[in-house]
Amino acid sequence: METTVLTRQHVAKLVKESGNDRFMDRMIVRLREAFTASDTGVTPARDGFLRGPGDTAILEWMPHHDPGRSITIKTVAYTPSNPTTYQLPTIIGSLTRYDDVTGRLLALCDGILPTAIRTGAASAIASELLARPDSKVLGLVGAGAQAVTQAHALSRVFPLERILVHDIEPAHARSFADRVDFLGLDVRVADLAELEAAADIICTVTSVGVGEGPVLSGENLRPHVHINAIGADLIGKFEVPRAVLKSAFVTPDHVEQALREGECQQLGADDLGPDLMTLCADPRAAARHREEMTVFDSTGFALEDHVALDVLLELAEEAGIGDRIQVEHLPDDALNPYSFQ
C-alpha cells in the first residue's frame, strides 16, 4: 500500500506542461461544480493557534470530510514576516488525503501553489455572480503572491483591459507588472484614491496586521464595485471599512469562519447575504445585485483545498507524474508492530 507524493518539482512540472491557464481554468470549473453539488461533504471551520513574535503568525488545520470516501486536511502557516526576513512565502502549507474507511494516507503534496490558485478561482466564481459582466478594470490592494493568482483567475472570466495596483511596499507594486506579464494586460501602479475611483472589481490581498485595518478608504468606490476581500484571516484583522460592508451586499464563503475571523467579524449574522455556495445554486438571485456594491468575504475553506488536491492528482495521473512511496508502517501481522513486510 503506497502513498502518492507530489513534490515541488512535480507540481512545477505539472504547471509548466499543462500551462497556467489550463490549471486555473480547471480549478475554476471544478470549484464551481463543487459549490453547486447537492452533497459536498462536511467542512468545519478551521482551527489553529497563534505563533511567532508577538503572536503575529498562525498555524491552522483545515479539514474536509467526504464520508465513505476520503478526508482532506491542509495545514497552513501564515507568517507575514516571511518574505522580507526569510525570503519565504507568507503562506506555507501542505495537503494530505486519507482513506475514510481505513484511515490510510493516500496522498501528500505542496499546499502553497494550490492555495493561491484555489483562492483566485473562488474570487473568479464570486465575481462572475456579483460583478458586471463587462468589468474591464481590476484594482489590487496588495501586490504579493496572492495578487498574482487573483489577477490571473479574474482575467479568465472577465474582459479585463487594465489592472491598477497599490501596495504600501513600492517595490512590490513596481514588480507586479513583470510577475503577471503572461496575462498581456496593461498594469499600472496607482494611488488608493485613483484605484477606488476606476476599478469595477477590487481584490484586497494584504498582510495588514491585527487592528491596523482597513486598507480601503471606501471614499471613492464606484457604485457598482465588487470587492473580493481576501486578507482577513485572524480575529481583529480586516481590510474593508465597516461602513462599506454595512452598505454592501455581503456574501461569505464559510459563514461560521467569516463571522469569527473574516470581514464579517465587523457585522452580525443578520447583515449577511447568502453564502457563496447558496448563490452558486441560484445565480439569478446573485445577478440582481450587480448594479450595487457587493463584497465576497473570502476566508478560504477546506472544501476548496479538497477540490484543489483533486485537480492536482488528476493532472498528475494524466501526465504520469508523482512518486509512490511507503510512508506508513503496515506490518505483515497487524497485531505485531515488530512484524515487517
Side-chain angles (χ1 to χ4, degrees):
M1 293 184 179
E2 297 177 326
T3 300
T4 298
V5 178
L6 299 181
T7 67
R8 57 181 293 184
Q9 292 88 352
H10 292 139
V11 174
K13 186 175 182 180
L14 282 175
V15 175
K16 288 178 181 178
E17 291 189 354
S18 66
N20 292 356
D21 291 346
R22 181 178 175 225
F23 198 175
M24 180 62 78
D25 290 348
R26 186 176 295 200
M27 193 73 77
I28 292 171
V29 169
R30 292 298 303 277
L31 265 189
R32 190 185 292 112
E33 290 173 351
F35 289 165
T36 56
S38 57
D39 181 11
T40 58
V42 180
T43 307
R46 63 188 173 214
D47 201 357
F49 47 80
L50 295 174
R51 43 172 278 275
D55 284 343
T56 56
I58 193 169
L59 189 138
E60 297 177 309
W61 40 93
M62 303 173 62
H64 175 77
H65 185 198
D66 187 6
R69 289 182 285 273
S70 67
I71 298 166
T72 300
I73 301 176
K74 182 173 78 173
T75 54
V76 58
Y78 166 79
T79 313
S81 61
N82 268 359
T84 55
T85 305
Y86 302 105
Q87 291 73 56
L88 292 171
T90 300
I91 296 173
I92 294 179
S94 58
L95 284 164
T96 53
R97 173 159 297 168
Y98 301 88
D99 178 68
D100 190 44
V101 177
T102 66
R104 283 191 52 250
L105 177 63
L106 299 177
L108 167 66
C109 80
D110 161 61
I112 299 173
L113 181 64
T115 295
I117 292 179
R118 63 79 153 152
T119 305
S123 289
I125 293 167
S127 300
E128 275 190 301
L129 291 167
L130 294 169
R132 284 182 173 179
D134 61 350
S135 294
K136 294 180 173 60
V137 180
L138 170 63
L140 294 171
V141 181
Q146 297 293 315
V148 173
T149 49
Q150 291 291 308
H152 184 201
L154 289 162
S155 74
R156 303 303 297 165
V157 296
F158 286 95
L160 296 182
E161 296 177 355
R162 186 162 37 122
I163 301 177
L164 301 178
V165 185
H166 176 79
D167 198 297
I168 60 173
E169 294 287 347
H172 293 178
R174 288 194 301 269
S175 69
F176 189 76
D178 290 336
R179 285 181 276 134
V180 294
D181 179 64
F182 68 96
L183 299 180
L185 296 173
D186 175 29
V187 180
R188 292 196 298 107
V189 177
D191 62 34
L192 191 58
E194 178 189 2
L195 184 151
E196 288 189 4
D200 300 301
I201 300 171
I202 294 175
C203 298
T204 57
V205 278
T206 74
S207 296
V208 64
V210 172
E212 297 176 2
V215 299
L216 287 180
S217 74
E219 296 174 358
N220 304 289
L221 297 171
R222 303 187 74 177
H224 65 271
V225 69
H226 170 68
I227 300 169
N228 296 303
I230 311 300
D233 51 13
L234 292 170
I235 296 172
K237 178 184 177 184
F238 51 86
E239 299 176 313
V240 181
R242 184 173 185 272
V244 170
L245 295 172
K246 291 289 287 186
S247 63
F249 175 82
V250 179
T251 183
D253 54 2
H254 189 289
V255 175
E256 179 186 353
Q257 202 166 267
L259 285 169
R260 186 182 69 194
E261 58 190 63
E263 296 297 331
C264 293
Q265 65 188 293
Q266 302 182 72
L267 304 173
D270 293 342
D271 295 317
L272 308 184
D275 65 23
L276 179 59
M277 294 176 69
T278 302
L279 288 183
C280 283
D282 188 7
R284 287 181 297 180
R288 292 197 289 268
H289 298 280
R290 286 178 177 163
E291 296 303 318
E292 62 186 272
M293 195 179 303
T294 55
V295 176
F296 170 46
D297 189 0
S298 176
T299 60
F301 66 117
L303 173 61
E304 297 170 349
D305 300 310
H306 178 79
V307 173
L309 183 52
D310 277 348
V311 171
L312 272 175
L313 291 173
E314 288 169 6
L315 290 172
E317 185 175 2
E318 291 169 11
I321 290 174
D323 291 334
R324 273 71 177 174
I325 63 176
Q326 293 183 339
V327 176
E328 298 158 314
H329 173 48
L330 304 174
D332 278 334
D333 181 352
L335 301 180
N336 181 5
Y338 295 114
S339 171
F340 298 99
Q341 290 184 356

